[in-house]
Amino acid sequence: MKFGTSGLRGLSPDLKGAASMQYAAAFGRYLLESGKARPGAEILLGRDFRDSSPEISGNCAAALSRHGFEVIDCGTVPTPALALYGLEKGAAALMVTGSHIPADRNGIKFYRPDGEIDKQDEEAISSLASAIDEVGRDEGNTIATIDRSEECAALFMERNRSLLPNQALAGLKVGVYQHSTVARDLLVEVLAYYGAEVVALGRSATFIPVDTEAVSTETIERMKAWAREHHIHAIVSADGDGDRPLVSDETGMPIRGDLLGVVAARFLDAAVTVTPVTSNSGIEAAGSYEVVRTRVGSPYVIAAMDEAVAAGKQRVMGFEANGGLLTATDFTVNGRIVRALPTRDCFLPILAMLFLAAQEKKPLSELASSFGLPFAAADRLENFALDKSSALMAYLRKGDQELQEFLAPIGNVAGKSDIDGLRITLADRRIIHFRPSGNAPEMRCYVEAEDSAAAEALLQAGLARIREWASASA
């Protein structure tokens, strides 16, 4: 088990065993010992559609019940819906989800009554988990929980129905790629509420991992085919737990998540925008907001947002390169106060992008290009062992000579940043960024270049160098 950029992750068989009980029990104990929850307090539990999630959820319910908590079952709801409900009720929460990673893996996201746990919380929970011997699940199948799934979903829908004017999306025909995301029905409902003509697409009974930051070729081809077949203005979707948005233009091509973040920042009239170093380098010039850069992962974005709020800043938000939006302060939108929600949300950025298209009456492809951001691309090598990625990063950090030798077939190094992974600026101003995943055996590569073809060529060259190095060092 390992905490990564967003929650605990591990193999599904391990989490279906004692591990989920240990970590749930450790979280419960941490809440009680730290005074963040009292004995007998309510604790919320949600899950995604993975085959392993119900069993893991049952394990968590049993462990928490043993520690005296009243377990509230919120069902299969988006993570931001669960987090919002927790803030409303002043209750801690657990979301059983592996987000976008394959179905043979799963995870748990933990929320204090005031929001996501931070890195210090993670260390404390891990330490407690190592000392807990939770075996079996004797009452896991029969543990009594209170079902408030409808109330949880209704609160989230009320929030999203207040963001835009009535019939704001009338005239748009929008496809919803439903696959196996827990956001699939709520997306259809909220888009229809605003007057869009909605076409439900690709609903799946089995779990499909959709990574909105590195959209697979298969997913892109499916969206292109749907765009041609249905003559739609956009296709929208989300990852497994509904906290990362996916928006395609009228041709089925995905719009980068960090561009969705820029659009959302303008929609909210943000004064401070926090985003990781992996987000597009053109963000600073794309708006009138102050930009703060962080390491990758929502805990780092939240920490930087909290620092801005503590410094007296107003209208503070953040987003990640995957498009997930976080708000640290309340915002006034459409004449209403929208409560701060400091966890990733896919709904607001989707609605902001579609609202812009409806207002401007322009194709999404034209709107995306009008922002003038450098062309960017990202992908990952899956099943790339953690020891390999650690060895590669150690080699690249060894010295300038080693880094230049590694990149010699690609270009000359002009500068580098070591905030999170290695982000290298080449002499011709192209950017290539190598970074191991924080929660899966994956090696990621992010690039920027002068046009889409150059970005794709640089991305493939970067991935090829990683493969070559791994093969040579095997």
Side-chain angles (χ1 to χ4, degrees):
M1 298 297 103
K2 182 182 178 183
F3 278 103
T5 55
S6 180
L8 183 76
R9 297 283 172 83
L11 294 171
S12 295
D14 294 339
L15 279 163
K16 288 197 295 184
S20 54
M21 301 194 77
Q22 289 172 321
Y23 276 89
F27 181 50
R29 185 173 296 178
Y30 173 66
L31 291 170
L32 295 172
E33 292 179 357
S34 64
K36 292 178 171 60
R38 57 174 177 74
E42 292 184 347
I43 193 164
L44 313 180
L45 193 56
R47 61 187 179 276
D48 67 14
F49 284 127
R50 293 166 192 265
D51 289 343
S52 59
S53 290
E55 186 171 346
I56 295 169
S57 180
N59 288 350
C60 293
L64 293 166
S65 179
R66 287 175 188 153
H67 280 72
F69 289 94
E70 185 172 40
V71 180
I72 306 299
D73 182 13
C74 292
T76 48
V77 294
T79 294
L82 183 72
L84 180 67
Y85 193 54
L87 291 173
E88 177 76 12
K89 296 296 182 182
L94 296 84
M95 178 70 182
V96 177
T97 179
S99 187
H100 63 280
I101 61 177
D104 64 340
R105 299 174 180 275
N106 211 328
I108 307 173
K109 295 179 179 179
F110 300 90
Y111 288 82
R112 304 178 312 230
D114 62 343
E116 282 191 39
I117 62 170
D118 59 25
K119 289 299 178 181
Q120 290 182 329
D121 297 327
E122 289 177 2
E123 292 176 6
I125 294 166
S126 294
S127 178
L128 287 169
S130 66
I132 290 176
D133 183 21
E134 291 276 348
V135 293
R137 188 186 140 198
D138 33 43
E139 70 237 332
N141 289 318
T142 57
I143 183 70
T145 61
I146 300 171
D147 184 355
R148 291 196 192 147
S149 54
E150 290 186 4
E151 184 176 321
C152 177
L155 179 68
F156 190 57
M157 285 305 299
E158 179 184 350
R159 172 189 181 85
N160 286 293
R161 286 175 174 172
S162 68
L163 295 175
L164 305 180
N166 290 338
Q167 296 297 298
L169 303 182
L172 291 185
K173 186 176 183 181
V174 183
V176 175
Y177 177 27
Q178 295 195 303
H179 63 94
S180 50
T181 175
V182 289
R184 59 190 181 187
D185 293 325
L186 295 180
L187 279 172
V188 170
E189 184 178 342
V190 73
L191 295 179
Y193 174 81
Y194 286 122
E197 179 184 351
V198 182
V199 182
L201 304 165
R203 192 180 185 94
S204 174
T206 58
F207 186 81
I208 299 175
V210 172
D211 186 346
T212 67
E213 191 173 359
V215 185
S216 68
T217 300
E218 179 185 1
T219 297
I220 293 174
E221 291 306 313
R222 295 186 78 179
M223 293 196 298
K224 284 182 175 179
W226 286 326
R228 289 191 299 267
E229 178 184 356
H230 297 284
H231 305 288
I232 47 190
H233 296 97
I235 297 173
V236 304
S237 190
D239 63 339
D241 66 319
D243 68 347
R244 306 179 184 197
L246 175 59
V247 179
S248 86
D249 63 22
E250 72 282 1
T251 72
M253 280 300 296
I255 295 172
R256 280 187 56 86
D258 45 18
L259 176 54
L260 298 178
V262 170
V263 172
R266 290 188 179 185
F267 172 78
L268 292 172
D269 188 26
V272 178
T273 296
V274 180
T275 194
V277 65
T278 50
S279 292
N280 195 286
S281 62
I283 288 170
E284 280 80 353
S288 58
Y289 38 68
E290 174 189 349
V291 177
V292 178
R293 296 279 183 164
T294 72
R295 294 182 63 186
V296 175
S298 56
Y300 300 109
V301 174
I302 292 169
M305 291 195 305
D306 288 344
E307 289 178 8
V309 173
K313 301 295 180 65
Q314 301 294 320
R315 307 194 317 278
V316 179
M317 59 155 277
F319 63 85
E320 299 189 32
N322 55 48
L325 181 84
L326 311 90
T327 51
T329 59
D330 294 347
F331 283 84
T332 301
V333 181
N334 191 31
R336 303 178 186 180
I337 300 296
V338 178
R339 179 177 183 170
L341 182 57
T343 197
R344 283 192 305 260
D345 171 30
C346 79
F347 279 72
L348 195 152
I350 287 173
L351 291 173
M353 191 72 214
L354 294 178
F355 184 48
L356 179 63
Q359 284 187 309
E360 297 290 329
K361 300 189 184 306
K362 295 178 180 177
L364 265 69
S365 59
E366 183 179 340
L367 289 172
S369 64
S370 71
F371 283 82
L373 298 182
F375 285 87
D379 205 348
R380 66 193 189 278
L381 296 179
E382 298 181 282
N383 301 314
F384 198 89
L386 296 177
D387 58 345
K388 279 189 179 181
S389 61
S390 296
L392 172 59
M393 297 309 297
Y395 174 76
L396 295 178
R397 290 184 171 114
K398 187 176 181 181
D400 292 343
Q401 181 178 343
E402 286 78 10
L403 182 60
Q404 182 57 68
E405 287 177 353
F406 182 85
L407 290 171
I410 296 174
N412 295 319
V413 176
K416 63 183 179 181
S417 167
D418 203 2
I419 292 178
D420 195 347
L422 268 178
R423 188 174 178 87
I424 301 107
T425 301
L426 301 174
D428 58 7
R429 297 187 179 180
R430 292 180 300 164
I431 292 174
I432 186 164
H433 185 168
F434 301 109
R435 176 185 163 271
S437 171
N439 47 36
E442 299 174 349
M443 189 67 194
R444 291 182 176 266
C445 182
Y446 312 82
V447 302
E448 292 182 17
E450 66 272 16
D451 57 50
S452 59
E456 183 61 28
L458 180 58
L459 177 62
Q460 296 308 318
L463 293 172
R465 285 300 294 129
I466 297 171
R467 293 190 192 97
E468 290 165 4
W469 183 90
S471 178
S473 60

